[in-house]
Amino acid sequence: MSAHCQLTGARPGFGNNISHSHRRTSRRFDPNIQRKRYWLASEGRHVRLTLSARAIRTVDRIGIEAAVARIRARGVTV
């Protein structure tokens, strides 16, 4: 599963681990990605979305219909 959110577009960030001796090694900051299934009443079917935890809260706030419209506006198929 790729670590990006279909709604917000959140992707991994990159940076460095810095040790006590100040040596730097690469690291990756992954978003909290979850797969969640919603009932899409307008199409009479379930949709399975790959969302970050923040995007799940956004769907709860704006509704699944508006969220799917935003996802499709970004050019992602649902």
Side-chain angles (χ1 to χ4, degrees), residues 10 15 21 31 33 44 46 58 66 75:
S21 64
I33 298 295
H46 286 96
T58 301

Side-chain angles (χ1 to χ4, degrees), residues 2-74:
S2 64
H4 76 276
C5 175
Q6 289 179 311
L7 181 61
T8 62
R11 290 186 179 272
F14 295 90
N16 291 308
N17 283 323
I18 302 180
S19 70
H20 181 69
S21 64
H22 220 64
R23 292 181 69 109
R24 293 180 162 111
T25 55
S26 293
R27 65 159 297 175
R28 179 173 150 148
F29 296 90
D30 284 328
N32 185 4
I33 298 295
Q34 311 290 327
R35 283 186 57 124
K36 190 147 170 67
R37 196 175 95 156
Y38 290 98
W39 174 251
L40 194 57
S42 64
E43 298 180 15
R45 67 184 183 104
H46 286 96
V47 292
R48 189 175 300 275
L49 300 175
T50 305
L51 301 171
S52 62
R54 180 178 176 179
I56 291 172
R57 293 178 61 210
T58 301
V59 170
D60 291 343
R61 185 171 45 83
I62 67 173
I64 186 62
E65 300 290 338
V68 167
R70 284 189 192 180
I71 291 169
R72 288 183 174 147
R74 293 184 69 238

